[in-house]
Amino acid sequence: MSEHPAIWHPCPLRRVGSGSHHHFYGYYNKHPWDRSGRYLLAQRVPMMTAYLGGTEVAEVGYFDLQDADQFTVVGETTTWNWQMGSQLQWLGGLGGRQLIYNSRATNSDADYPYADYRATVTDADTQVSEELPLPIYVVAPSGEWALCVDYSRFEVTHPTIGYRASQAAPALANAPTEDGIYRMEVESGDAELILSLHELTQFQPLPSMDRAIHWMTHLEINPASTRFLFIHRWTERVEDETCFLHRLFTVNPDGSDLRLLECTDHPLPQLAADFDADQVGTFDYEKSEYQISHPAWKNNDEIIVWGPHQGHIHYHLYNERNGEVSIIGADCLTENGHMTYSPDGQWLLSDTYPDSVSNERLLILYDVANNQRYDIGSFYTDPDLGKPNRCDLHPRWSPDARQVCIDSVHEHERQMYLVDVSSLTDRGD
């Protein structure tokens, strides 16, 4: 039995907004609140679930939390998925209330790397919008530049986070020299390929890479906008996520000083010709003992990640400067989740995947100093949603660390909820 068993500490919960529409934000490592804490970003759609074909429209906008959750629409997009949405986020480092999201190209003839996908910047006060030449994955905290990748590659390798192309999807080479991670300047739209997939396969290469298709995912920029992290994945069997292999890297914003923090190359019996990928459960991948997933910066030097190190899988904290690795919550944080630290680093927020019997997901707060886990909510998810349509909680901090925002389907709608965690985070101990 754990020396620090989880304490059940349910926190007050309220749904954001009302009406017949469904609302969701998307991924865990971005912040839907603006700097003031008043406006909350969201995508609004007419259905709770659908297999997306690239034509479904999501309205992009924000709730006014100080005016009865009134929802203001600032734009529309057909480049979105249920997991990440349209990568909607505030440009927090810039003045005013500017937001950015991915959108469909209005001029597909332009000489840009990805014919179908762009990003749109909108000023929420003036409603003036501008199209940028590349779709974004994440914007630097400074608001000045973004990291960009090919969502058609995701559509092949990891469809839950891909976008469907308007026409036929482009043919993809396994590890091309002309694709990888782009850096794009937000103000000018100038973009440069800073790290290609081919370059990555030449960095400490492994035999398992030779016949595999490669991609980069889980990009995140540190608070100072001086380094970013990403996961390199490769596989010979895209239809079975348990065959994915993983490496965790950090790098400078210009692609220099590439550092390998972890590699989980391992034998893959699933590659046998008679292996039945249909027998793989919806969440088997997230529970794999080899997976590296959901990395997030704690500060400018340290990264929390779920993954194996020296033969054991835990929440591991990596110091990318000196190479030190430590286990976080060894006896109470024992399964994969979507985790982020509070701004002061005193609390770790996370969740779980659904229990295989109850189909309940737990929302977790972990007290770092006292090694104490608090389960602050439990939320049912319909097991029939499947993988592309599922709704992970993807918990996200408010600017003052007194609230948490989640997406959930526990009321048989896809909606956003605010969880008041101040009874824990306001404590001085």
Side-chain angles (χ1 to χ4, degrees), residues 140-159:
S142 67
E144 296 175 347
W145 52 275
L147 299 173
C148 310
V149 294
D150 184 4
Y151 285 86
S152 288
R153 185 166 289 270
F154 285 151
E155 186 66 20
V156 170
T157 60
H158 201 175

Side-chain angles (χ1 to χ4, degrees), residues 8 23 42 81 108 124 129 148-149 159 183 206 235 291 298 301 323 327 348 395:
W8 176 242
H23 303 87
N81 54 61
S108 59
S129 294
C148 310
V149 294
R183 171 178 165 153
L206 297 163
T235 188
Q291 188 190 179
K298 180 181 181 180
D301 298 324
I327 298 172
L348 184 66

Side-chain angles (χ1 to χ4, degrees), residues 26-28 83 283 286 293-294 306 315 332-340 348-354 360-366 373-379 390-396 404-408:
Y27 229 28
Y28 68 101
Q83 282 295 291
F283 297 102
E286 278 77 11
S293 64
H294 310 134
W306 174 262
Y315 280 95
C332 59
L333 298 176
T334 56
E335 57 184 301
N336 194 2
H338 305 92
M339 58 284 194
T340 49
L348 184 66
L349 172 67
S350 194
D351 60 356
T352 67
Y353 286 93
E360 292 279 329
R361 300 174 181 270
L362 291 173
L363 185 62
I364 297 166
L365 269 182
Y366 172 72
R373 167 176 163 169
Y374 296 88
D375 292 344
I376 61 174
S378 183
F379 304 90
R390 74 184 192 269
C391 182
D392 296 340
L393 297 180
H394 288 155
R396 303 160 290 258
V404 168
C405 177
I406 62 170
D407 298 339
S408 184

Side-chain angles (χ1 to χ4, degrees), residues 226-332:
T226 57
R227 296 280 288 175
F228 70 89
L229 64 81
F230 66 93
I231 296 175
H232 169 210
R233 287 181 175 158
W234 65 99
T235 188
E236 293 183 44
R237 189 194 289 271
V238 294
E239 65 272 19
D240 179 4
E241 293 177 328
T242 61
C243 290
F244 291 0
L245 298 169
H246 315 257
R247 297 197 294 181
L248 176 64
F249 284 97
T250 61
V251 65
N252 284 336
D254 63 358
S256 63
D257 192 17
L258 186 65
R259 300 177 189 173
L260 176 61
L261 303 187
E262 194 68 66
C263 176
T264 65
D265 183 53
H266 61 92
L268 291 172
Q270 301 98 316
L271 290 180
D274 59 352
F275 181 78
D276 185 359
D278 291 335
Q279 297 304 307
V280 178
T282 301
F283 297 102
D284 285 1
Y285 169 59
E286 278 77 11
K287 298 175 181 180
S288 165
E289 67 271 30
Y290 296 110
Q291 188 190 179
I292 298 175
S293 64
H294 310 134
W297 293 94
K298 180 181 181 180
N299 49 48
N300 288 323
D301 298 324
E302 294 180 298
I303 295 163
I304 186 74
V305 65
W306 174 262
H309 179 69
Q310 296 182 346
H312 300 281
I313 192 163
H314 293 285
Y315 280 95
H316 282 112
L317 188 68
Y318 290 76
N319 188 310
E320 68 117 13
R321 296 293 181 183
N322 61 26
E324 293 181 357
V325 183
S326 57
I327 298 172
I328 305 299
D331 56 353
C332 59

Side-chain angles (χ1 to χ4, degrees), residues 12-17 23-34 37 39-43 63 65 338 340 349-351 363-365 376 379 391-408 415-421:
L13 176 82
R14 84 165 182 90
R15 172 177 159 175
V16 181
H23 303 87
F24 69 106
Y25 180 66
Y27 229 28
Y28 68 101
N29 59 343
K30 299 174 179 66
H31 303 287
W33 280 274
D34 75 326
Y39 302 107
L40 190 76
L41 291 173
Q43 282 108 171
F63 292 102
L65 300 178
H338 305 92
T340 49
L349 172 67
S350 194
D351 60 356
L363 185 62
I364 297 166
L365 269 182
I376 61 174
F379 304 90
C391 182
D392 296 340
L393 297 180
H394 288 155
R396 303 160 290 258
W397 288 102
S398 66
D400 61 6
R402 304 186 79 238
Q403 294 185 87
V404 168
C405 177
I406 62 170
D407 298 339
S408 184
Q415 300 293 353
M416 295 169 63
Y417 297 84
L418 300 184
V419 186
D420 183 350
V421 297

Side-chain angles (χ1 to χ4, degrees), residues 89-274:
Q89 52 204 282
W90 295 104
L91 292 174
L94 304 181
R97 292 192 303 139
Q98 297 186 70
L99 54 92
I100 189 170
Y101 58 94
N102 287 334
S103 52
R104 193 73 53 172
T106 57
N107 179 10
S108 59
D109 295 329
D111 186 21
Y112 297 143
Y114 312 126
D116 218 18
Y117 310 123
R118 303 287 185 268
T120 296
V121 175
T122 297
D123 188 308
D125 296 314
T126 66
Q127 295 289 295
V128 173
S129 294
E130 178 185 1
E131 184 178 276
L132 296 179
L134 293 176
I136 53 103
Y137 191 103
V138 65
V139 178
S142 67
E144 296 175 347
W145 52 275
L147 299 173
C148 310
V149 294
D150 184 4
Y151 285 86
S152 288
R153 185 166 289 270
F154 285 151
E155 186 66 20
V156 170
T157 60
H158 201 175
T160 57
I161 58 172
Y163 301 148
R164 293 294 298 272
S166 294
Q167 295 85 33
L172 297 175
N174 281 350
T177 59
E178 69 278 7
D179 197 14
I181 299 176
Y182 282 82
R183 171 178 165 153
M184 178 174 66
E185 304 305 314
V186 171
E187 183 175 357
S188 66
D190 293 340
E192 177 186 5
L193 181 64
I194 59 172
L195 183 63
S196 76
L197 286 161
H198 177 74
E199 287 178 276
L200 200 53
T201 63
Q202 302 308 299
F203 187 93
Q204 299 183 23
L206 297 163
S208 59
M209 297 178 182
D210 293 345
R211 295 183 300 275
I213 189 169
H214 298 255
W215 68 104
M216 293 103 140
T217 186
H218 288 79
L219 289 70
E220 185 166 324
I221 303 166
N222 72 357
S225 303
T226 57
R227 296 280 288 175
F228 70 89
L229 64 81
F230 66 93
I231 296 175
H232 169 210
R233 287 181 175 158
W234 65 99
T235 188
E236 293 183 44
R237 189 194 289 271
V238 294
E239 65 272 19
D240 179 4
E241 293 177 328
T242 61
C243 290
F244 291 0
L245 298 169
H246 315 257
R247 297 197 294 181
L248 176 64
F249 284 97
T250 61
V251 65
N252 284 336
D254 63 358
S256 63
D257 192 17
L258 186 65
R259 300 177 189 173
L260 176 61
L261 303 187
E262 194 68 66
C263 176
T264 65
D265 183 53
H266 61 92
L268 291 172
Q270 301 98 316
L271 290 180
D274 59 352

